[in-house]
Amino acid sequence: MAQPAEPRARARFVRETPDVRRQALIDATARCLAEKGVGGTSVRAICAKAGVSSGLLTHYFPGVDALILATYRDVGARVSTALDAAIAAAGDDPRDRLRACLQANLRPPVLDPDLLATWIAFWSLVTSDPAIAAVHADVYRGTRHQLETLLGEAAPQLSQSQKRIAAISLTALVDGLWLELCLDRSSFTAEEAQAMVESAMLQWLGEIDGPVDKFAAL
């Protein structure tokens, strides 16, 4: 006699949490900005990229402008997390921690042409969107404060003014090298860029002659 067939297991339906859906929209916005720029980043484009309806976007965000703002914060936080991880992995030596922070900007995941495309979209809004400008200022302020702290630990002899100038100088150097490497790696290598940053860092730490001497009286 044939045995009755066992009941088929019912497929489990997994409902995504609000945080997951919100993050999916942010990730889709970052990809749209990188691929299409600000002009091509619309509700339709974002929702198509995320595979959701436009109603879901307006459920979590008032509109595209708010979503772009949230994406800027998210991208900035991801970069900050990568730098923090590099610092933590460097150990306890203050110089190694400072070096790790600077060099992490010139290595993946921060050194990424797609990330550059997203940043360019954000930068294009800084002068016209006060909310974006405020986030930009926060990101830059946080980066500078982190470097000032690391410089103070690595070179306690530096005055507050010297640490400020050193942080601005090193940030500008790193940003310029990062930008060029993302655009075109034929001019110099990531290793050469890291060596340039290392030299500038050692100058500010007073280990070789450099710009710190010009700001000794500050």
Side-chain angles (χ1 to χ4, degrees):
M1 181 176 177
Q3 297 295 320
E6 293 184 2
R8 181 179 296 176
R10 182 175 297 176
R12 294 181 61 189
F13 175 74
V14 179
R15 184 180 296 276
E16 292 181 336
T17 66
D19 285 346
V20 170
R21 290 193 291 269
R22 188 177 186 277
Q23 186 62 49
L25 288 167
I26 288 173
D27 293 342
T29 303
R31 292 196 298 274
C32 280
L33 289 169
E35 295 171 10
K36 305 172 184 292
V38 174
T41 300
S42 62
V43 170
R44 177 178 295 182
I46 293 168
C47 291
K49 186 74 69 175
V52 301
S53 68
S54 58
L56 187 66
L57 187 153
T58 55
H59 176 74
Y60 287 101
F61 298 94
V64 173
D65 289 348
L67 184 47
I68 289 176
L69 186 64
T71 303
Y72 197 174
R73 291 194 179 102
D74 183 76
V75 172
R78 291 188 187 192
V79 171
S80 180
T81 296
L83 299 184
D84 289 345
I87 294 168
D92 297 328
D93 184 86
R95 279 175 167 74
D96 288 342
R97 289 167 60 81
L98 174 60
R99 179 181 294 108
C101 179
L102 295 168
Q103 302 288 358
N105 288 278
L106 302 170
R107 298 186 177 114
V110 181
L111 184 61
D112 179 0
D114 288 339
L115 182 59
L116 169 63
T118 307
W119 278 119
I120 288 175
F122 294 139
W123 292 336
S124 71
L125 295 170
V126 169
T127 58
S128 60
D129 188 324
I132 290 288
V135 173
H136 175 77
D138 284 343
V139 169
Y140 182 77
R141 190 181 303 113
T143 299
R144 199 184 80 189
H145 175 72
Q146 183 178 52
L147 277 180
E148 287 180 13
T149 300
L150 292 169
L151 282 160
E153 294 170 352
Q157 74 277 10
L158 294 178
S159 68
Q160 185 58 46
S161 295
Q162 288 173 331
K163 287 186 291 185
R164 174 179 171 273
I165 295 298
I168 293 171
S169 173
L170 290 170
T171 298
L173 175 61
V174 168
D175 285 352
L177 293 170
W178 176 85
L179 178 61
E180 187 59 34
L181 281 171
C182 286
L183 289 171
D184 177 14
R185 298 198 183 189
S186 64
S187 298
F188 54 87
T189 66
E191 291 73 22
E192 287 173 325
Q194 291 160 14
M196 292 180 227
V197 172
E198 174 78 6
S199 176
M201 182 195 80
L202 293 176
Q203 288 176 359
W204 280 108
L205 295 183
E207 295 188 12
I208 58 178
D209 293 338
V212 69
D213 298 329
K214 299 178 183 179
F215 298 96
L218 292 178

